[in-house]
Amino acid sequence: MTDTLTPVLTANWADDRSWTLPSYAARGGYAALDKALGMAPDEVITAVKDAGLRGRGGAGFPTGMKWSFIPQDNPNPKYLVVNADESEPGTCKDIPLMMASPHTLVEGVIISSYAIRAKVAFIYVRGEVLHVIRRLQAAVAEAYAAGHLGQNIHGSGYDLDLVVHAGAGAYICGEETALLDSLEGRRGQPRLRPPFPAVEGLYASPTVINNAESIASVPSIIANGPGWFAGMGTEKSNGFGIFSLSGHVTRPGQYEAPLGITLRQLLDLAGGVREAPNGQARELKFWTPGGSSTPLFTAEHLDVPLDFESVGAAGSMLGTRALQIFDETVCVVRAVLRWTEFYKHESCGKCTPCREGTWWLVQVLARLEAGQGSAEDLDLLLDQCDNILGRSFCALGDGATSPITSSIKYFRDEYLAHLEQGGCPFDPAKSTLFEEVPA
Amino acid sequence: MSIDQSTYDELREIAARYPQARSGLLPMLHLVQSVEGRVTPEGIQACADVLGLTEAEVSGVATFYTMYKRRPVGDYLVGVCTNTLCAVMGGDAIFERLKDHLDVGNDETTADGKITLEHVECNAACDYAPVVMVNWEFVDNQTPSSAVELVDDLRNGVERHSTRGPRLCTWRQAERVLAGFNDGLADEGPSAGAPSLAGLTIANENDWKAPSGD
Amino acid sequence: MTAEMEKSDLVSLTIDGVEVSVPAGTLVIRAAEQAGIQIPRFCDHPLLAPVGACRQCLVDVPDAGNGRGFPKPQASCTIPVAEGMVVSTVNETAAKAQTGIMEFLLINHPLDCPVCDKGGECPLQNQAMSNGRGESRFAATGGVKRTFPKPIHLSPNVLLDRERCIVCQRCTRFSDEIAGDPFIALVERGAQQQIGIAENAPFLSYFSGNTIQICPVGALTSEEYRFRARPFDLVSTPGVTEHDASGAAIRVDHRRGKVVRRLAGDDPEVNEEWITDKDRFGFAYLYADDRITYPRIREDGELRPASWLEAFEVAARGLARCSGGAGGVGVLPGGRLTLEDARAYAAFARESLGTEDVDFRSRPLSAEEAAFLERHVKGTGPGDQGAVTYADLETAPVVVLAGLEPEDEAGTVFLRLRKSVRAGGTRVIALSPFTTRGLAKLSATVVPTAPGDEADALSSLLGHADHGIDHRAVILVGERLATAPGAYAAAADLAAKSGARLAWVPRRAGDRGAVEAGLLPAAGGRDADAIVGAVLSGELAGLVVGGVDPDDTSDPAAFHAALEAAEFVVSLELRETDVTRVADVVLPVAPITDRAGTFVNWEGRERPFPQTFRNPASFTDARILAGIGEELERIVAEPASAAHEEDVAAARLRRMVLAAQRHGTAAGFVTGAGAPSSTSEGAHVAGGVHAATTDTDSDGRGASTSERIETTATFKLATWKLLLDNGVMQQGDKALAATARPPVAILSPASFARLGAMVTVTGDRGSVTVPAGSAVDLPDDVVWLPANSTGRGLLADVASPGSRVEVTNA
Ligand SMILES: Cc1cc2nc3c(=O)[nH]c(=O)nc-3n(C[C@H](O)[C@H](O)[C@H](O)COP(=O)(O)O)c2cc1C
Ligand code: SF4
Ligand code: FES
């Protein structure tokens, strides 16, 4: 039986100066790189395939398979791009990882690039995290100085350059093709697919894009073997992942556990739903399993195993394991309106349903929150969502509908209560962490 | 300051980091902000010149991303997260208090030019909610009164540190780092804050580990 | 689909129950068109790369050809067909998707159709009618529309109403992909996303008007047409551009006898769906105040109105007097004629006047050119005749340009070349003094060539195997080669040796038709320059002048002098010009709108066009020439009167004196190619001529002047006309004029550094002061200036192309 928590990526985060090369090396860092360089690139791909690593950026696509799609007979250079744009509301795992242990990611980048035969790799990190960027820049500089990057790495004859690239504030740039356009110095708007990035990605060349946590998981797979990784988690959702608990939970934070752990288990570890500032007990009301773009769950889903299949079967998505916990003080309409405002703000504007749809959704929701409108507006909302879901150019538009449709499904009465009361029945001050009254 | 020869040289240096120069545009615009305090028409022209683009193309990029500012930014860009989770946990209250205290609206700068206040979207620090960002450094677990203290200190020249990073530098200095010019401060601050270590701490207490390797 | 296409290349699918077979790779939206099914769309445009942005074209694909359907509706403008695919554009899924998108598009769209220029011809309006909901749920829920202060100028000519824009990106994609002028871009993000320009960098593209036309809503309008008319008030007539030799199809929209706008016609073989802004907006000249509307004859030194019949008779008598034993008449019809008019001129010259002194070229020319045109151009054409076509530009791996700057001189050719270059098909090799913006947009390999060096440059091309000039290549030569000695011959030689195909791309719409009609001097005839010289020398007495601007000719001063010197001048013109001002008979010709006719474009393709307005008072050149011709026949039959005899004797005497004073100088009057300049002595003596030449040349042009120039002038003058300049047919549209490129003297970087930002360029005819710029590959001893963007143009004000000029810091 695997332990409840399995710190691998997080294991060294409490180490003294964990972000530095000496600290990382003291735990055996960059040994996996040596091992990988002793393997053929295809063997590395096979190992990652056999491990059953699935993308940690949300969609859960098998990482090794993605790598094997790179046409090695294509004469263009190959690129690895790390998606460290982490902007999905609730998602907060890649940032602490890169802050505490950037070398885990850098080592992962080198091994992964070697596997796909890339000579240049990029870490696209959102711009709004200055200190993380400093640490990545410093780690890359250390890695060059130590011969882990640059020419003839570890005497293997393999060369790799790694560029840390700061974004500039746009959630959509987490979408992989928008990220590529952004990395090419353009507006971050999604591209038509096909061609897929594996064939025509960055600079119209074969490109692998992986989430930071996906890539950071690679050194451990190489070091410990695919069987080790596959031995954790569930049948189709192998390995461990970082679960991010936030919101009304006693000990919010990062919990690294095998996939398939439940929120009930995690909440137990995290001290349960947080008490009110006055010591009153509170209850779980709703939560996101994988960020705001994944349909909401409620207390009835406490025992859903948090793996790709089970969460999907229960009507949501594992996403990025961003578990935002909201207790009974929180107005679901307010929460959903705020998320919808986020999607409106972040819609790239390229396609009609997302650009115009989010504009309208916000207005309908705002009226409902204010107790105006009518019960038919809920059907209108659902129909608008219907007209966005699956019609938008990329998944951002789809994501925008998730909180709305799921909240109406579970909390229709609460919407109606707003109409009955002519306004929001909740006191927003109650759900804060402090007892201050805004001046 | 303005775009002079040395800025041009640095813009070129950024472009040269990439297999294709245009990839440098985002960091180049960060550099423009560090020099000009915002994205100016001159800055747009400089980027267009260096990359062989039209100014419209550069403008299209500069106006797409929220970190690029059209109006001059104060020494400290204070961003209060008001995305759902932070908002609920107190971000809305903090933002309201700061607007009131600083007597500015969203995306406005105090009369002394010190503080620009804005509300920001989720900054990947939900476990530290409510979060305030100062020049894109984390100031975690804020309350309205702690936030007021923070901005007062910044205005009064009292040294403040990020809760997970170094002493707070100016916005222009921060923009320079985003342009890829390291300021040597990577070693400041802790590895991680307590929430980042929550699971690890429990695992250590229980001696939980991943199994050993094959 | 070509007939020989193999069955196996075709993919069969079913759309709304109709089976269609289309080539592999066809997009579903196109396949549907072939089945007669119109899927609603906005961002899709067959000539632009698909983006799938508006999502209006969603269809249901219950079977992707593999037995499985797509779970979500698919954008038919981005998905290619597959064998066995089943598509529904109308079932419940498709209909809901389309209605849903239409509803979204309309929530923020203003309801200002009644005042919108596009109202009545608006794809959004039309599709809202057919696919939209009856009433707005947005309005019903108290929705607040996005508004923008309106409108904004993208350029002096193009305005944008942002709230009407549905950000389909057709305009930005056109500007970037087709024109290569990404001066407009998507700016801002999300719901605020809009089309914009950078501060102080307006949308100055020669092709900007196309964006107005392809905008599927009324967001883009032109300064001149905005609010001028309603589409349903307009009558449309097809036309062909009169502004260049492209043969571009246009559509002329008019109301109550007046043209209010022009649009690009859709002709896949010629201009596809694009035209230049000159083609589109350059029609205000038709309504200029100085339009001539009735015949005039000179009496006691003054022009007075006359009836057509009287004018015909006076013209005939004058010409008869001149073409008798007293000398002769030269015919200068100009390059703007329809083929029909050109033929009429040819017949008139040869049959009515019995002269070979006829030449359509009203610009620097050479004898070599006439030979080239006879041998390599005349009688060729597309199709069986095997001449180079637009389509050939797309298939040729290499296109050589010599004496031709396509973006300025043949905009439609430029667009086709760019299309081919972008598709990766064609490499352009250009002999040019420097890499112009247009050539840069063609990614051209520029062989920097100083004016006059074109022949050597052409000859050297074969030595470069890397240029790949072989039988699949195309050589496009422009009329400017006439000023480079040996260049036409070198082009022909290059074609002969490499097997490459050769085509001549003149500037004016009538040039090619004139070649076909024989408006070149045959053996024994004088060319245009020689005609001018012969008038000055007294060898010719009369002139028949069509649409010729003296300032466009090889030697404007000489031309003016000849007009003064001629015994008798008949002018066929649209508007008052320097010719009509001195002519003895002025005959107004029908504007392009009042006549049907044919232009022959550079390909040799006949481009017939119908009459837009029936105007019984408008006479074509052909009709007028016939009128004069009839009179001539009648006069010849008359017994000669004593007075007539006297006139003729006096005239002969005078010309003999003039000839004697010319010290035996040959009548050959050639400029441009470095040959001796014209005979101003003759002009001086001819009386009254001095004034005409003093405009630009107060010092006269004696030997001493040329010596002075030769010792100090260190620059060769390179020049051509910009697309938008001071040309008379562009006059009247201020907004269009404001988009012209400002005149700049281009120098090499070294000369620029030495001479500074403002320079004076001085030639043997005068000087001009303009801002300077530099181009890295311009040879040090060359200066480039736009030919007709300053004053009266370079030919009148400075010097002839290729000659030596002085450049000084101003
Ligand atoms: C709107 C949107 C935002 C996204 N943001 C992120 C992100 O911040 N980080 C990330 O890794 N993936 C993000 N994704 C998912 C990526 O498109 C992509 O699936 C992922 O980076 C692939 O990496 P993986 O296979 O390692 O998960 C986003 C997707 C969408 C549609
Ligand atoms: S769904 Fe459409 S508008 Fe929204 S982000 Fe994706 S492409 Fe852009
Ligand atoms: S026409 Fe297909 S998405 Fe716009």
Side-chain angles (χ1 to χ4, degrees):
Chain A
M1 230 334 252
T2 318
D3 291 340
T4 313
L5 295 177
T6 49
V8 177
L9 301 176
T10 56
N12 64 333
W13 289 9
D15 293 2
D16 187 35
R17 292 169 66 80
S18 62
W19 63 88
T20 62
L21 182 55
S23 171
Y24 184 67
R27 276 194 182 244
Y30 288 101
L33 173 58
D34 262 332
K35 190 169 169 188
L37 292 173
M39 299 160 72
D42 282 339
E43 287 172 354
V44 177
I45 296 180
T46 304
V48 173
K49 259 191 197 164
D50 292 348
L53 173 65
R54 293 172 64 176
R56 298 305 191 226
F61 192 84
T63 303
M65 199 191 301
K66 188 185 275 191
W67 295 2
S68 65
F69 290 157
I70 293 291
Q72 288 300 339
D73 54 355
N74 185 310
N76 287 354
K78 322 288 180 288
Y79 295 105
L80 175 74
V81 178
V82 175
N83 187 343
D85 193 57
E86 192 162 66
S87 310
E88 166 81 8
T91 311
C92 50
K93 61 194 179 65
D94 301 338
I95 293 301
L97 183 143
M98 294 184 289
M99 177 104 99
S101 190
H103 282 288
T104 311
L105 179 60
V106 172
E107 186 178 10
V109 167
I110 307 168
I111 297 172
S112 309
S113 300
Y114 173 73
I116 63 161
R117 280 142 276 194
K119 296 254 187 301
V120 183
F122 301 87
I123 299 174
Y124 185 107
V125 54
R126 64 182 299 183
E128 304 102 318
V129 288
L130 190 61
H131 204 47
V132 172
I133 290 165
R134 283 197 191 95
R135 291 223 167 131
L136 281 171
Q137 288 170 344
V140 168
E142 281 181 308
Y144 268 105
H148 302 319
L149 281 171
Q151 305 282 302
N152 191 16
I153 294 166
H154 294 196
S156 65
Y158 175 63
D159 307 334
L160 179 69
D161 283 313
L162 173 57
V163 179
V164 176
H165 180 92
Y171 165 57
I172 185 61
C173 291
E175 196 285 330
E176 58 186 21
T177 60
L179 184 149
L180 291 177
D181 258 31
S182 180
L183 183 53
E184 288 183 5
R186 298 168 199 279
R187 296 162 64 79
Q189 295 191 317
R191 297 179 178 178
L192 266 182
R193 274 177 298 202
F196 288 92
V199 182
E200 275 183 46
L202 188 67
Y203 311 134
S205 300
T207 302
V208 162
I209 305 152
N210 271 127
N211 169 255
E213 186 186 353
S214 311
I215 295 295
S217 302
V218 169
S220 67
I221 291 172
I222 297 303
N224 300 303
W228 166 82
F229 187 87
M232 287 178 269
T234 59
E235 195 195 332
K236 286 183 174 165
S237 298
N238 294 359
F240 48 83
I242 302 177
F243 292 81
S244 309
L245 270 77
S246 60
H248 290 128
V249 50
T250 306
R251 278 186 296 277
Q254 309 305 318
Y255 295 80
E256 195 175 9
L259 301 188
I261 194 169
T262 64
L263 180 63
R264 190 182 299 283
Q265 285 175 290
L266 285 165
L267 268 183
D268 277 350
L269 296 173
V273 171
R274 185 174 340 210
E275 290 175 346
N278 66 8
Q280 247 176 353
R282 294 230 172 119
E283 273 172 39
L284 174 65
K285 181 170 174 184
F286 60 93
W287 54 292
T288 64
S292 61
S293 303
T294 59
L296 297 174
F297 274 169
T298 64
E300 69 181 86
H301 303 100
L302 272 168
D303 294 313
V304 172
L306 297 175
D307 59 48
F308 293 104
E309 293 70 32
S310 308
V311 177
S316 187
M317 288 173 282
L318 182 61
T320 51
R321 290 149 281 121
L323 308 156
Q324 305 179 84
I325 314 292
F326 297 90
D327 70 18
E328 85 260 19
T329 63
V330 182
C331 169
V332 77
V333 181
R334 175 187 175 207
V336 170
L337 169 60
R338 191 57 61 87
W339 276 319
T340 310
E341 285 171 337
F342 165 78
Y343 290 107
K344 174 188 161 192
H345 184 251
E346 299 299 335
S347 166
C348 82
K350 177 172 185 158
C351 75
T352 308
C354 171
R355 179 185 69 240
E356 307 296 337
T358 54
W359 168 277
W360 188 8
L361 287 173
V362 164
Q363 295 196 16
V364 177
L365 279 165
R367 269 167 49 101
L368 285 172
E369 201 219 3
Q372 296 152 5
S374 68
E376 286 87 77
D377 288 355
L378 293 184
D379 298 326
L380 171 62
L381 275 178
L382 290 174
D383 191 48
Q384 288 173 277
C385 288
D386 223 25
N387 287 340
I388 297 171
L389 184 73
R391 274 68 163 160
S392 57
F393 190 91
C394 81
L396 188 150
D398 295 349
T401 67
S402 293
I404 300 174
T405 46
S406 59
S407 66
I408 294 178
K409 175 169 162 197
Y410 299 119
F411 299 101
R412 183 179 272 265
D413 287 347
E414 194 165 312
Y415 280 90
L416 296 176
H418 282 71
L419 297 175
E420 282 150 20
Q421 303 200 7
C424 180
F426 291 84
D427 174 5
K430 287 235 166 66
S431 45
T432 65
L433 294 186
F434 39 80
E435 277 172 299
E436 296 182 53
V437 189
Chain B
M1 271 208 265
S2 66
I3 310 275
D4 59 12
Q5 193 53 49
S6 69
T7 307
Y8 261 94
D9 291 345
E10 287 185 338
L11 289 173
R12 287 203 185 85
E13 184 185 331
I14 294 170
R17 286 180 204 146
Y18 297 88
Q20 291 187 9
R22 184 170 179 166
S23 283
L25 184 51
L26 265 57
M28 287 163 72
L29 287 166
H30 281 305
L31 186 74
V32 165
Q33 298 210 108
S34 82
V35 174
E36 302 259 279
R38 65 183 177 111
V39 175
T40 54
E42 296 70 40
I44 285 177
Q45 202 187 340
C47 293
D49 278 359
V50 168
L51 298 177
L53 300 174
T54 65
E55 287 151 84
E57 288 172 303
V58 177
S59 287
V61 173
T63 55
F64 185 84
Y65 299 93
T66 47
M67 290 176 80
Y68 298 132
K69 303 297 180 191
R70 258 64 76 72
R71 287 183 286 165
V73 172
D75 291 341
Y76 300 96
L77 177 62
V78 175
V80 182
C81 177
T82 57
N83 197 287
T84 306
L85 189 118
C86 273
V88 162
M89 311 289 284
D92 276 357
I94 294 169
F95 188 56
E96 286 310 313
R97 179 73 73 82
L98 287 183
K99 278 202 285 196
D100 200 54
H101 181 74
L102 296 171
D103 195 22
V104 293
N106 182 43
D107 195 21
E108 289 178 9
T109 303
T110 53
D112 60 5
K114 292 269 194 228
I115 309 267
T116 299
L117 182 68
E118 66 175 359
H119 70 84
V120 299
E121 297 299 357
C122 181
N123 221 69
C126 311
D127 43 348
Y128 296 88
V131 176
V132 169
M133 305 298 297
V134 176
N135 298 339
W136 310 119
E137 305 269 22
F138 292 109
V139 187
D140 303 318
N141 300 116
Q142 291 297 289
T143 65
S145 44
S146 70
V148 164
E149 201 180 302
L150 171 71
V151 295
D152 283 347
D153 284 352
L154 292 173
R155 288 178 98 177
N156 297 329
V158 178
E159 183 173 302
R160 290 293 304 248
H161 283 248
S162 155
T163 43
R164 279 183 281 161
R167 183 170 73 82
L168 296 173
C169 60
T170 67
W171 181 72
R172 288 185 183 213
Q173 287 165 340
E175 282 292 320
R176 205 176 149 73
V177 177
L178 297 179
F181 296 100
N182 206 337
D183 60 3
L185 298 178
D187 288 344
E188 308 258 314
S191 300
S196 302
L197 302 175
L200 178 65
T201 309
I202 294 168
N204 287 345
E205 283 164 12
N206 293 292
D207 198 26
W208 288 336
K209 288 191 184 69
S212 49
D214 294 353
Chain C
M1 217 184 315
T2 56
E4 63 267 26
M5 179 141 345
E6 292 287 323
K7 189 101 176 76
S8 59
D9 293 335
L10 296 179
V11 171
S12 298
L13 68 160
T14 311
I15 307 179
D16 294 345
V18 181
E19 183 156 332
V20 266
S21 294
V22 292
T26 304
L27 297 167
V28 168
I29 200 168
R30 298 275 103 71
E33 284 166 7
Q34 295 193 18
I37 297 161
Q38 190 74 0
I39 302 171
R41 83 283 306 270
F42 294 109
C43 64
D44 173 72
H45 190 287
L47 296 174
L48 302 174
V51 279
C54 76
R55 318 303 288 168
Q56 185 59 57
C57 66
L58 294 172
V59 296
D60 186 29
V61 185
D63 184 347
N66 54 7
R68 281 176 291 136
F70 281 101
K72 305 169 177 179
Q74 296 295 304
S76 57
C77 71
T78 60
I79 109 163
V81 296
E83 185 63 40
M85 191 182 234
V86 179
V87 176
S88 175
T89 77
V90 288
N91 70 10
E92 206 181 320
T93 306
K96 169 138 176 57
Q98 291 169 16
T99 332
I101 299 295
M102 176 57 63
E103 181 178 36
F104 286 139
L105 278 173
L106 290 176
I107 62 167
N108 276 316
H109 194 78
L111 295 172
D112 65 348
C113 307
V115 298
C116 176
D117 278 338
K118 207 80 170 191
E121 58 178 12
C122 174
L124 181 63
Q125 195 181 32
N126 297 344
Q127 290 177 33
M129 299 294 184
S130 52
N131 299 69
R133 299 178 158 261
E135 63 223 51
S136 164
R137 297 194 293 181
F138 182 70
T141 54
V144 180
K145 281 188 195 274
R146 176 174 59 221
T147 54
F148 293 104
K150 56 160 37 187
I152 56 172
H153 270 99
L154 296 178
S155 78
N157 205 8
V158 182
L159 288 94
L160 168 69
D161 282 283
R162 287 173 289 176
E163 48 199 26
R164 289 185 189 148
C165 170
I166 56 167
V167 284
C168 67
Q169 307 176 48
R170 280 184 176 189
C171 57
T172 47
R173 284 148 68 213
F174 169 84
S175 303
D176 183 22
E177 295 172 20
I178 307 293
D181 294 331
F183 304 139
I184 51 174
L186 285 178
V187 298
E188 307 292 338
R189 187 174 79 194
Q192 292 302 319
Q193 182 175 254
Q194 51 191 273
I195 303 303
I197 50 172
E199 229 176 291
N200 306 325
F203 179 30
L204 297 181
S205 168
Y206 283 166
F207 308 98
S208 68
N210 292 297
T211 62
I212 299 172
Q213 188 170 347
I214 60 174
C215 176
V217 294
L220 295 172
T221 48
S222 74
E223 183 69 58
E224 286 298 315
Y225 176 70
R226 195 178 160 77
F227 302 140
R228 294 294 190 286
R230 318 287 303 131
F232 34 82
D233 289 338
L234 299 179
V235 181
S236 300
T237 309
V240 173
T241 183
E242 76 277 39
H243 284 295
D244 63 20
S246 67
I250 59 172
R251 187 182 111 189
V252 182
D253 283 359
H254 46 99
R255 190 185 51 179
R256 282 186 241 118
K258 198 169 173 198
V259 177
V260 289
R261 72 171 172 183
R262 304 208 310 193
L263 300 172
D266 179 358
D267 190 332
E269 302 213 306
V270 179
N271 54 309
E272 302 198 299
E273 299 180 33
W274 320 125
I275 53 175
T276 67
D277 282 2
K278 185 157 73 173
D279 294 341
R280 182 180 304 271
F281 299 114
F283 61 85
Y285 75 95
L286 292 170
Y287 307 107
D289 290 342
D290 58 2
R291 264 284 303 281
I292 303 166
T293 48
Y294 49 85
R296 301 171 199 188
I297 56 175
R298 194 168 295 279
E299 202 171 77
D300 302 329
E302 295 291 321
L303 283 176
R304 69 151 172 87
S307 73
W308 280 107
L309 271 183
E310 184 184 17
F312 288 158
E313 190 191 338
V314 173
R317 286 205 179 278
L319 293 175
R321 207 162 63 228
C322 296
S323 59
V329 177
V331 181
L332 298 171
R336 304 202 180 283
L337 303 170
T338 61
L339 179 62
E340 294 77 6
D341 288 337
R343 287 189 180 129
Y345 262 108
F348 181 75
R350 300 208 163 90
E351 287 155 30
S352 300
L353 297 174
T355 180
E356 273 302 333
D357 294 340
V358 55
D359 191 350
F360 72 94
R361 295 171 296 175
S362 50
R363 49 164 173 89
L365 52 89
S366 68
E368 192 190 319
E369 177 181 53
F372 176 88
L373 295 178
E374 290 288 350
R375 178 122 188 258
H376 298 284
V377 175
K378 189 173 181 177
T380 67
D384 296 345
Q385 290 162 286
V388 179
T389 62
Y390 280 106
D392 292 339
L393 300 183
E394 281 190 54
T395 51
V398 175
V399 174
V400 177
L401 304 174
L404 177 67
E405 166 57 32
E407 198 192 16
D408 283 318
E409 299 178 302
T412 311
V413 171
F414 168 80
L415 291 183
R416 195 61 79 90
L417 281 173
R418 184 172 150 82
K419 179 184 183 192
S420 179
V421 168
R422 266 177 57 87
T426 297
R427 198 159 67 90
V428 172
I429 297 169
L431 274 54
S432 173
F434 67 103
T435 305
T436 60
R437 208 187 125 60
L439 292 177
K441 289 193 284 180
L442 295 176
S443 309
T445 304
V446 173
V447 181
T449 307
D453 295 351
E454 286 84 351
D456 288 348
L458 279 164
S459 308
S460 72
L461 289 180
L462 265 188
H464 282 270
D466 51 319
H467 286 338
I469 301 173
D470 60 21
H471 67 281
R472 294 169 308 162
V474 164
I475 304 167
L476 295 183
V477 297
E479 62 189 33
R480 283 188 282 114
L481 280 196
T483 63
Y488 273 119
D493 189 51
L494 176 64
K497 287 191 176 137
S498 62
R501 296 158 71 203
L502 188 59
W504 181 66
V505 185
R507 277 193 68 254
R508 293 188 172 100
D511 283 340
R512 181 59 196 271
V515 172
E516 299 306 325
L519 290 181
L520 281 167
R526 296 179 174 89
D527 66 21
D529 290 347
I531 290 170
V532 170
V535 173
L536 290 172
S537 69
E539 289 162 58
L540 284 179
L543 281 175
V544 176
V545 187
V548 175
D549 179 349
D551 289 340
D552 280 341
T553 61
S554 299
D555 188 339
F559 198 99
H560 280 108
L563 288 172
E564 295 281 347
E567 282 291 316
F568 192 79
V569 177
V570 177
S571 169
L572 282 71
E573 257 300 357
L574 195 65
R575 293 166 59 190
E576 281 174 25
T577 66
D578 285 353
V579 181
T580 63
R581 278 184 274 278
V582 299
D584 298 281
V585 179
V586 178
L587 298 154
V589 296
I592 189 81
T593 45
D594 289 2
R595 54 162 86 211
T598 306
F599 284 131
V600 183
N601 76 353
W602 66 271
E603 301 168 278
R605 189 191 300 267
E606 296 200 355
R607 305 289 288 158
F609 57 90
Q611 199 174 32
T612 304
F613 304 123
R614 276 179 49 84
N615 182 352
S618 267
F619 282 18
T620 61
D621 302 62
R623 171 73 186 81
I624 294 167
L625 294 171
I628 304 172
E630 279 167 30
E631 287 299 315
L632 272 170
E633 272 175 41
R634 208 166 52 75
I635 291 163
V636 169
E638 265 172 16
S641 75
H644 182 213
E645 293 289 356
E646 245 168 61
D647 277 356
V648 171
R652 179 187 297 149
L653 186 67
R654 203 157 130 219
R655 271 194 295 282
M656 280 165 59
V657 174
L658 287 174
Q661 286 172 339
R662 287 181 59 250
H663 311 295
T665 309
F669 169 88
V670 187
T671 58
S677 193
S678 101
T679 55
S680 56
E681 304 95 311
H684 281 272
V685 183
V689 176
H690 194 250
T693 57
T694 46
D695 278 345
T696 54
D697 185 18
S698 50
D699 292 345
R701 296 187 310 273
S704 62
T705 310
S706 6
E707 257 163 45
R708 181 173 63 78
I709 295 300
E710 248 143 53
T711 51
T712 56
T714 48
F715 291 83
K716 281 191 206 160
L717 178 63
T719 182
W720 59 79
K721 289 184 174 180
L722 296 177
L723 180 93
L724 298 175
D725 63 7
N726 297 342
V728 288
M729 284 164 72
Q730 300 165 52
Q731 290 168 357
D733 188 325
K734 290 204 188 73
L736 174 66
T739 67
R741 296 179 186 169
V744 174
I746 309 284
L747 299 162
S748 71
S751 306
F752 178 70
R754 188 160 47 81
L755 291 162
M758 201 70 188
V759 295
T760 299
V761 180
T762 307
D764 59 353
R765 299 172 188 175
S767 64
V768 62
T769 299
V770 286
S774 71
V776 280
D777 52 352
L778 188 85
D780 268 333
D781 66 338
V782 175
V783 58
W784 180 89
L785 275 175
N788 192 24
S789 301
T790 54
R792 302 179 52 181
L794 293 193
L795 281 160
D797 292 347
V798 181
S800 63
S803 61
R804 290 268 172 192
V805 293
E806 195 178 345
V807 184
T808 52
N809 180 328

